[in-house]
Amino acid sequence: METTPTAGWGLYPVVEARIDHPRHPGELIGLAQSGQPHLAQGACRSYGDACLYERVVSTLPLRHLLEFDPAQGRLRAQAGITLDSLLRFCVPRGFFPPVTPGTKFPTLGGCIAADVHGKNHHRQGTLGRFVEELEMVLADGSQVRCSRREHPELFRATLGGMGLTGFIYAATLRLKPIESSYISVRTVRTRDFAEACQLMVETRDEYLYSVAWIDCLARGRGLGRSLVMLGNHAPARGDEPLKLHSCRQRPVPFNFPEIFLNPWSMRAFNTLIYRHQWRRERQRLVHYDPYFYPLDALYRWNRIYGRRGFLQYQFAIPFAGGLELMREILGHIAAQGAGSFLAVLKTFGPEDEGVLSFPLPGYTLALDFPLRGGGIIRFLRQLNRLVAGAGGRVYLAKDAILEEEDFARMYPRLEEFRRIKRQYDPHNQFRSCLADRLGLR
Ligand SMILES: Cc1cc2nc3c(=O)[nH]c(=O)nc-3n(C[C@H](O)[C@H](O)[C@H](O)COP(=O)(O)OP(=O)(O)OC[C@H]3O[C@@H](n4cnc5c(N)ncnc54)[C@H](O)[C@@H]3O)c2cc1C
């Protein structure tokens, strides 16, 4: 059978894959029973190799809504439905996804498998907290429902389990009621990193959503100057109906030549964004779409990093000592001149129930690094050791370079995950490039 080059959102690595497109659960069962190793693949919005393997099963054709109960805000849908389609259905009816990542193009199954977090983790945890039930096809072809009552171990290993426990065929989710499509946003310009962290921690109870954009290329006293964006769902605006956003996506037409991205141009870009808000503080109403999904306005924006792609590095570290470590890491990045258009800071609340879920109580920082040869990979592996040593971890949905030893130090429930995986997938049929690299079997 023909193979196709496939990659995650970072465009690195690229893997030749044979892709199946099942149209109903019966075909998923057939694929599981074939005994071949394989991996469920959603919309490839994970950045590294979590969604890659030589044989993948695309869930995109399984994209139907199955049931909706408006009284309870409960929705049951096939795993291949995208958040975009969910939003089109639920926003006009006065509901919103309880947790959303920074793009609306991933699938529901992909979001559950990564147990995604949003800007509200400090208050509401990951998406997994709102999942009531999963319908799965396991390695032996059997169909099971799992939840906190039925097969609870399988349920908790599948939230954040990166597709390694079985195919998620459908999920039942509790949505959040909303009164308007707007977010009331307070944006504060802070001098440095410490001020941004302090503001986010101090306002945790006041705002459901918080995120900061950090200029990690600024040096000296301006190291880590930031724009902090705090938000709450706005109340109803008279009789105004709840609206979707009408803005068209603009395409990035080709992979940018690498010469466009150099430390000078990135620093200029960051300064421009920071200076864009000249007042210290601004309060305004913003439609949920540009607030949650600003990058979605540019179709295939990942091409701006050039043909060789980029790595996104996202780590979480405990509050205690976290500020100093992030400062140290930002110092290394500024010295290396290797950073990023985008550095995004959030705070996390308590750990979630998923055995391999990423968040831990503390700070999380995400940065992009254009790939320019092996130097950047070596550099990030050094950062991995610093993060692991401080009790932190990196996010598997963004990773392409973590090494097995550091992974084991970062994820203390790894053995528990391995035990559950062996129980439900004894012949290691669900595999990925990430799992092979990290010894996740
Ligand atoms: C611009 C951007 C912003 C982002 N912001 C955030 C953010 O704020 N927070 C956050 O947590 N993440 C964020 N992400 C990451 C993204 O939400 C996750 O990587 C998500 O898993 C992508 O879903 P997908 O459908 O594209 O899955 P894929 O990337 O195709 O797959 C991801 C994983 O899910 C598994 N999987 C997919 N479907 C199934 C299924 N049906 N059954 C079993 N396993 C399955 C795959 O095997 C793989 O391990 C962001 C990504 C982008 C590109």
Side-chain angles (χ1 to χ4, degrees):
M1 191 186 175
E2 237 178 82
T3 61
T4 312
T6 55
W9 192 245
L11 305 176
Y12 171 87
V14 178
V15 171
E16 283 292 330
R18 182 185 149 170
I19 308 178
D20 286 293
H21 297 91
R23 298 200 172 265
H24 52 80
E27 284 182 55
L28 274 185
I29 294 170
L31 284 163
Q33 285 173 336
S34 72
Q36 299 278 342
H38 43 222
L39 179 74
Q41 188 179 72
C44 291
R45 257 41 183 206
S46 46
Y47 280 75
D49 55 0
C51 63
L52 304 181
Y53 195 62
E54 58 206 44
R55 186 166 173 169
V56 295
V57 177
S58 170
T59 62
L60 293 178
L62 300 167
R63 56 169 187 261
H64 300 292
L65 278 168
L66 301 171
E67 279 172 62
F68 178 59
D69 171 359
Q72 303 288 330
R74 188 176 286 128
L75 177 136
R76 179 172 162 255
Q78 290 183 329
I81 193 168
T82 60
L83 289 188
D84 188 36
S85 302
L86 269 184
L87 286 161
R88 284 171 198 279
F89 176 81
C90 69
V91 168
R93 290 169 175 77
F95 289 95
F96 201 72
V99 168
T100 175
T103 167
K104 57 184 180 290
F105 297 118
T107 63
L108 178 60
C111 288
I112 292 169
D115 199 15
V116 296
H117 57 271
K119 297 173 175 59
N120 55 344
H121 188 277
H122 59 289
R123 294 267 296 269
Q124 299 189 310
T126 53
L127 182 66
R129 197 184 284 188
F130 301 88
V131 174
E132 295 193 340
E133 187 178 74
L134 297 174
E135 293 161 58
M136 298 189 58
V137 173
L138 301 182
D140 61 2
S142 59
Q143 283 179 281
V144 297
R145 287 171 185 272
C146 63
S147 64
R148 289 172 185 86
R149 286 178 310 282
E150 279 181 273
H151 302 285
E153 281 204 322
L154 175 64
F155 182 73
R156 294 197 170 100
T158 302
L159 302 178
M162 305 312 294
L164 301 174
T165 53
F167 293 122
I168 303 167
Y169 157 67
T172 304
L173 189 68
R174 255 177 308 120
L175 301 172
K176 168 193 308 190
I178 50 170
E179 293 178 9
S180 91
S181 342
Y182 288 86
I183 307 292
S184 164
V185 183
R186 176 182 160 206
T187 308
V188 184
R189 185 170 131 159
T190 66
R191 273 187 315 272
D192 59 23
F193 199 50
E195 197 187 344
C197 291
Q198 191 184 351
L199 179 66
M200 288 173 86
V201 170
E202 279 173 6
T203 55
R204 284 162 73 87
D205 296 334
E206 210 179 321
Y207 293 97
L208 185 56
Y209 301 112
S210 79
V211 63
W213 176 85
I214 311 276
D215 178 0
C216 58
L217 293 182
R219 293 170 195 238
R221 283 198 304 151
L223 180 72
R225 60 187 180 176
S226 318
L227 290 180
V228 181
M229 282 156 273
L230 307 161
N232 284 317
H233 286 280
R237 308 205 313 163
D239 290 337
E240 192 182 305
L242 288 113
K243 284 191 305 228
L244 297 165
H245 204 244
S246 54
C247 161
R248 278 239 185 89
Q249 278 194 313
R250 291 175 200 286
V252 174
F254 50 79
N255 290 316
F256 269 35
E258 290 177 3
I259 194 144
F260 279 106
L261 279 183
N262 52 54
W264 183 86
S265 65
M266 287 198 236
R267 199 165 286 132
F269 176 83
N270 285 2
T271 302
L272 200 72
I273 299 266
Y274 184 72
R275 298 256 162 87
H276 180 68
Q277 174 163 320
W278 52 272
R279 268 179 297 178
R280 172 163 158 83
E281 200 161 328
R282 193 148 76 124
Q283 182 80 45
R284 66 213 157 108
L285 276 186
V286 181
H287 189 272
Y288 75 80
D289 197 292
Y291 179 72
F292 286 110
Y293 314 117
L295 291 171
D296 284 351
L298 268 186
Y299 177 63
R300 296 185 70 179
W301 63 259
N302 52 348
R303 290 170 151 199
I304 61 174
Y305 289 105
R307 199 174 37 81
R308 286 195 271 181
F310 66 106
L311 299 170
Q312 181 162 101
Y313 189 66
Q314 182 170 2
F315 63 94
I317 35 162
F319 286 117
L323 184 54
E324 292 71 34
L325 185 80
M326 282 193 293
R327 237 196 236 120
E328 186 184 341
I329 288 181
L330 284 184
H332 289 308
I333 291 167
Q336 179 94 357
S340 191
F341 271 118
L342 279 176
V344 176
L345 171 74
K346 294 175 196 156
T347 55
F348 281 158
E351 274 187 314
D352 304 280
E353 60 194 310
V355 181
L356 289 187
S357 290
F358 164 61
L360 51 78
Y363 301 106
T364 179
L365 197 61
L367 312 114
D368 293 344
F369 293 89
L371 267 162
R372 304 276 188 273
I376 197 67
I377 294 179
R378 271 196 303 280
F379 174 67
L380 293 181
R381 284 184 173 152
Q382 283 163 9
L383 297 190
N384 278 344
R385 268 158 239 145
L386 279 179
V387 169
R393 57 180 73 130
V394 297
Y395 189 14
L396 298 182
K398 309 265 175 102
D399 177 59
I401 58 142
L402 182 62
E403 292 165 300
E404 193 171 342
E405 198 183 312
D406 293 326
F407 171 55
R409 289 173 73 202
M410 291 175 177
Y411 282 84
R413 296 176 70 189
L414 175 58
E415 278 317 310
E416 181 185 347
F417 181 84
R418 286 195 170 121
R419 180 180 57 72
I420 302 168
K421 173 161 169 68
R422 268 184 230 124
Q423 181 183 339
Y424 287 95
D425 180 17
H427 304 295
N428 194 25
Q429 247 170 261
F430 291 102
R431 292 193 200 170
S432 65
C433 295
L434 173 127
D436 285 356
R437 174 163 54 81
L438 299 179
L440 254 177
R441 56 185 83 87

